[in-house]
Amino acid sequence: MKAILFHQHGGPEVLKYTDAPEPMLRTGDVLVRVKACALNHLDLWVRRGLPNVPIPLPHIPGSDVAGEIAKIGADVTTIRVGQRVVLAPLVSCGKCPACLAGLDNHCRQATNLGYLVDGGCAEFVRAPEVNCLPYPENLNWEEAAAIPLVFQTAWHMLITRAELQPGEDILILGAGSGVGSAAIQIAKFFGARVITVAGSDEKLAKAKELGADQVINYKTQKIRDEVRRITNKRGVDIVFEHVGSVTWEDSLASLAPTGRLVTCGATTGYDAKVDLRFLFSRQLSLLGSYMGTKSELHAVLKLVATGKLKPIVDHVFPLAEAATAHAYLESSSQFGKVVLSV
Ligand SMILES: [Zn+2]
């Protein structure tokens, strides 16, 4: 099969469009003929290499897959050949106490497609049967591939970790990112007032189309000052963080008393300071969040299928141009998802 493969870590140029062996099918797995694979920042980290994370080389990246079932293993009972599916990116053991409780993102053996196992930047990918999710028939392949990782992450952050309530004020950073554009829609669906941040007026206009109530251009405005102005000096109930070092101080300073900051990433760096006096006297909560559960993704897909939530595709590249697509994602000029068409 054709695949995007890298033999060593580095810049986008290490990604090669080449021949690779078709994945071996195990009894509980399905083989998916990939139609589209969306990119995530995780793909950039995996390609560059992470300290203490031994990514098997050569490696096929890609976590977000939509496609058609090509083959099924002998023990597969709920999926048939030819069926269209969206794949849940998180591959967990299915046997540990966390998995049995439905908390597969707490599984100690969990990884993502395209992280410690080969992913979907290829004509075929192997996945466990339980990772097959119902295909939203109102979407094309590229749109379907743009859903799983970012919507599952945003849902887990807002609903499960931060326990967002109707009427609350929320500051969402990175409106143009995949996870940001998902968070705006989820927060609006649950009745929050959304203040969002981006670096261009064009992106902010698109954020408003998605439902954002107030927008801040961080290149011309100071985030914490604008939040104070918009909220009458109170601050927001929730800050949705994934940017990291560059925005951390503004994020903390934007919280109302008893506010919650929830974070799933650190795109700009992971060094952050917390003034403990501020933390305890204002009774703030700092919440970490990682991926989401398959059952949360089932909930997301129901809302996608009825048009309540929609994936935002910025640009589609052919699989062979994965290196160009990575460079484009690294430039942060997109609004929504960058997707490879296979
Ligand atoms: Zn497990």
Side-chain angles (χ1 to χ4, degrees):
M1 65 171 186
K2 288 290 182 194
I4 294 297
L5 210 63
F6 60 88
H7 286 80
Q8 82 256 13
H9 295 292
E13 70 283 355
V14 301
L15 301 172
K16 304 292 181 206
Y17 180 66
T18 183
D19 291 310
E22 203 179 283
M24 295 270 290
L25 196 58
R26 297 175 300 203
T27 55
D29 288 345
V30 299
L31 189 69
V32 177
R33 183 186 303 277
V34 180
K35 297 288 187 178
C37 182
L39 298 185
N40 292 282
H41 271 274
L42 178 65
D43 295 292
L44 306 180
W45 296 115
V46 167
R47 191 203 70 218
R48 292 172 192 152
L50 290 156
N52 307 319
V53 181
I55 289 159
L57 297 173
H59 187 69
I60 301 173
S63 302
D64 270 337
V65 173
E68 219 167 60
I69 300 293
K71 286 182 197 167
I72 57 172
D75 295 339
V76 171
T77 55
T78 63
I79 304 293
R80 56 184 168 68
V81 171
Q83 188 176 336
R84 303 210 275 180
V85 291
V86 175
L87 291 181
L90 198 74
V91 178
S92 64
C93 80
K95 298 167 187 171
C96 72
C99 283
L100 293 175
L103 304 170
D104 36 312
N105 60 335
H106 292 259
C107 173
R108 293 188 65 179
Q109 290 183 49
T111 188
N112 276 303
L113 292 174
Y115 189 27
L116 297 179
V117 296
D118 278 340
C121 288
E123 288 179 308
F124 294 96
V125 64
R126 178 182 68 196
E129 177 183 10
V130 292
N131 284 55
C132 296
L133 301 165
Y135 188 93
E137 294 297 336
N138 54 337
L139 303 187
N140 65 31
W141 295 114
E142 289 78 19
E143 290 169 327
I147 301 166
L149 201 145
V150 290
F151 270 95
Q152 148 177 286
T153 300
W155 184 282
H156 191 70
M157 290 171 76
L158 293 176
I159 309 307
T160 308
R161 299 293 286 139
E163 299 179 47
L164 173 69
Q165 301 298 312
E168 287 194 313
D169 287 341
I170 177 166
L171 174 67
I172 295 174
L173 296 173
S177 65
V179 79
S181 57
I184 291 169
Q185 296 180 61
I186 295 168
K188 287 307 295 180
F189 180 78
F190 281 89
R193 176 167 72 149
V194 170
I195 305 167
T196 193
V197 181
S200 79
D201 289 341
E202 196 193 345
K203 287 187 183 181
L204 292 173
K206 287 183 181 170
K208 280 209 149 175
E209 281 171 30
L210 275 187
D213 298 284
Q214 302 280 340
V215 295
I216 301 171
N217 185 332
Y218 72 85
K219 291 205 171 139
T220 55
Q221 296 173 302
K222 196 155 173 53
I223 295 173
R224 70 183 79 175
D225 294 347
E226 285 303 303
V227 168
R228 275 175 64 81
R229 185 185 63 74
I230 292 164
T231 60
N232 258 332
K233 299 184 183 171
R234 178 177 168 268
V236 291
D237 302 289
I238 298 176
V239 174
F240 182 91
E241 246 292 347
H242 52 107
V243 179
S245 297
V246 167
T247 51
W248 182 258
E249 283 181 26
D250 270 312
S251 292
L252 273 184
S254 297
L255 284 170
T258 72
R260 299 92 85 193
L261 184 156
V262 61
T263 180
C264 70
T267 314
T268 61
Y270 44 75
D271 275 330
K273 269 192 190 153
V274 178
D275 183 331
L276 294 175
R277 296 167 299 182
F278 189 72
L279 182 70
F280 65 70
S281 66
R282 310 198 85 194
Q283 305 197 60
L284 305 177
S285 300
L286 301 181
L287 305 166
S289 189
Y290 183 72
M291 295 289 295
T293 68
K294 290 185 190 72
S295 92
E296 288 169 325
L297 205 36
H298 277 280
V300 164
L301 281 163
K302 269 177 91 170
L303 293 172
V304 169
T306 52
K308 303 281 197 311
L309 301 174
K310 57 176 184 179
I312 307 299
V313 175
D314 173 271
H315 204 95
V316 178
F317 292 86
L319 178 64
E321 291 174 26
T324 311
H326 269 229
Y328 179 67
L329 180 60
E330 273 171 337
S331 75
S332 290
S333 44
Q334 78 281 3
F335 189 93
K337 300 292 289 174
V338 179
V339 184
L340 297 174
S341 173
V342 182

